[in-house]
Amino acid sequence: MSFEHRALQLDRVSKHYGEVRALEDVSFELRKGEFLTMLGPSGSGKTTTLRVIAGFVEPSSGALLIDGRDMTGVPPQRRNIGMMFQDYALFPHMTVLENVAYPLETRGVKRSERESRAREMLGIVGLADFAKRFPKQMSGGQQQRVALARALVFHPDIVLLDEPMAALDKKLRGQMQIEIMHIARKVGATVVSVTHDQEEALVMSDRIAIFRAGRLAQIGTPQELYTRPNSEFVADFIGEANLLRGTARREAGTCRLEGPGWRAILPADDPRAPAKTAAVTVVLRPEVIALAAEGERPANALTGTIEDRIYLGVEFRLIVRLADGSAVQVRSRDLARISALAQGDAVTLCWRDEDFVVIPG
Ligand code: ADP
Ligand code: MG
């Protein structure tokens, strides 16, 4: 059996600046060709992680391997890494073609080959006809694609993107997200990107790493993070989440969860059921909550009064106020029944067993 190296491995990487713990015990691995996005609030350690990978920052402890090779003591220019940052910093006095060919020049590739490889890359990013232009003669999105071509042209082991879309307007950002993802796939690049825009992370990534205060809070596919967040922080960070607080109790072969205005039941052997009485938070996404049928007494239920009912074309958004004053957001396509409701009406809402997450505390 052949053993394929991981494209990238971080093993318990920490970086401290005096008292500041910029990174603490961060471990993850990437497969070749994988697109990872690091997502988290400002100051959570995303850029530091990129700088550790690039070699601009030496970890205080822990190890970094690229394609199975330990990078300790290997300077940035000896790591085969492509980079594209927010200020894409194209060389203004060079043509587009010269900009893209530049990394090949610094790597000693001969002139004729430099030009043909740079032209090929410009073709891939859709700028074949712009080779002779200067950066200032191009739009923001085009400049961005030049920067991407320059980051990819020398077939780097890893491409690092730090907030690559931050300087673009919203519409262009959306197009570029999809474009960059397709180009990265086409050339088989392994990519680590940074953003604080959750939609960007969902659109572009095979997996997302969520950072919080220098630690990796959770890493997984967009679906894993959305459907099985391991903390309130992650639940809140990806998508919309209702957080219901209460207590879990073992009782006659089941586990009962209860809080002000809501209850739920789990089979005793469900992995989500705490072993003994414990404080819990239940995570419910707005779209898994439904109106209970007339006269039904569902096992998983919450009761409250309608505070707001907003029609959004394909669905309604309901805001339901619970006994303890907290609000629950619901998104429902049960248009006929919801149309018949009015502000102040009492409602019973329910959800399926498989559609909720239980987080300790
Ligand atoms: P992010 O990119 O997620 O916004 P950073 O990785 O830039 O976060 O920063 C993580 C933490 O480390 C922050 O508290 C930041 O102030 C601190 N930090 C980053 N670089 C340095 C440095 N060179 N010296 C001191 N503190 C730093
Ligand atoms: Mg940053």
Side-chain angles (χ1 to χ4, degrees):
M1 198 173 73
S2 74
F3 174 72
E4 200 198 333
H5 287 309
R6 296 297 180 188
L8 175 71
Q9 286 168 268
L10 274 77
D11 185 16
R12 309 198 60 177
V13 169
S14 296
K15 178 65 191 178
H16 301 163
Y17 295 101
E19 295 291 288
V20 178
R21 292 168 179 260
L23 283 183
E24 192 71 5
D25 230 3
V26 170
S27 301
F28 63 85
E29 300 187 347
L30 290 193
R31 298 184 307 276
K32 258 195 176 41
E34 204 173 1
F35 197 123
L36 178 80
T37 298
M38 299 194 286
L39 183 64
S42 178
S44 58
K46 307 179 300 291
T47 294
T48 304
T49 304
L50 275 197
R51 295 175 68 81
V52 164
I53 297 169
F56 300 126
V57 164
E58 192 70 23
S60 307
S61 61
L64 172 80
L65 285 79
I66 294 177
D67 205 15
R69 275 179 58 218
D70 187 347
M71 287 291 118
T72 308
V74 179
Q77 67 275 16
R78 307 233 351 256
R79 301 182 184 192
N80 190 28
I81 288 180
M83 280 178 264
M84 176 171 151
F85 291 156
Q86 185 173 329
D87 45 351
Y88 9 90
L90 298 175
F91 303 115
H93 59 287
M94 289 186 190
T95 63
V96 163
L97 187 70
E98 286 162 352
N99 263 283
V100 176
Y102 182 77
L104 298 173
E105 192 178 336
T106 63
R107 284 166 176 78
V109 176
K110 63 178 198 295
R111 186 177 199 89
S112 55
E113 189 184 336
R114 281 199 312 257
E115 185 163 328
S116 67
R117 278 171 65 181
R119 282 191 185 281
E120 185 192 6
M121 205 62 211
L122 281 175
I124 290 173
V125 301
L127 293 175
D129 298 335
F130 294 77
K132 291 281 184 281
R133 291 219 197 167
F134 286 91
K136 66 170 189 298
Q137 300 169 310
M138 321 265 292
S139 71
Q142 290 169 334
Q143 290 186 31
Q144 184 114 31
R145 278 184 276 168
V146 176
L148 183 65
R150 192 178 59 176
L152 291 171
V153 73
F154 56 97
H155 303 302
D157 294 323
I158 296 168
V159 181
L160 305 178
L161 312 175
D162 197 353
E163 307 256 359
M165 253 64 82
L168 305 179
D169 67 55
K170 190 169 162 51
K171 180 150 180 257
L172 187 54
R173 202 154 64 215
Q175 291 168 4
M176 284 305 295
Q177 286 163 3
I178 291 172
E179 230 174 87
I180 289 180
M181 179 189 72
H182 283 314
I183 293 165
R185 288 235 171 99
K186 198 168 182 177
V187 302
T190 306
V191 182
V192 184
S193 182
V194 164
T195 185
H196 56 255
D197 176 348
Q198 65 148 300
E199 192 181 315
E200 183 171 312
L202 292 170
V203 167
M204 297 180 81
S205 321
D206 296 310
R207 283 192 300 159
I208 299 173
I210 305 227
F211 279 74
R212 180 189 197 185
R215 289 181 181 273
L216 181 58
Q218 192 172 359
I219 183 167
T221 64
Q223 292 91 331
E224 283 165 355
L225 296 182
Y226 190 79
T227 59
R228 292 199 298 282
N230 67 5
S231 61
E232 285 184 30
F233 181 79
V234 172
D236 226 18
F237 218 86
I238 295 274
E240 276 183 273
N242 294 297
L243 303 173
L244 305 178
R245 297 180 204 286
T247 308
R249 260 184 215 89
R250 296 255 161 194
E251 199 174 275
T254 65
C255 178
R256 249 171 209 290
L257 294 82
E258 222 165 353
W262 68 271
R263 62 169 187 270
I265 295 183
L266 287 173
D269 61 354
D270 190 291
R272 291 170 294 179
K276 52 184 200 300
T277 301
V280 290
T281 299
V282 161
V283 179
L284 278 181
R285 299 295 183 184
E287 69 278 9
V288 307
I289 306 172
L291 282 178
E294 204 68 47
E296 186 193 2
R297 211 174 166 281
N300 306 321
L302 63 83
T303 54
T305 54
I306 296 196
E307 180 160 299
D308 248 320
R309 190 194 67 173
I310 302 153
Y311 178 63
L312 294 172
V314 293
E315 66 184 17
F316 270 107
R317 180 173 289 259
L318 289 180
I319 297 167
V320 175
R321 191 63 65 181
L322 303 193
D324 68 344
S326 64
V328 167
Q329 303 266 352
V330 181
R331 288 164 57 170
S332 170
R333 298 190 171 186
D334 195 350
L335 303 185
R337 289 185 62 210
I338 291 179
S339 299
L341 295 171
Q343 200 177 17
D345 283 356
V347 283
T348 298
L349 302 168
C350 58
W351 60 92
R352 301 185 308 174
D353 282 353
E354 61 269 37
D355 282 343
F356 70 105
V357 172
V358 181
I359 290 168

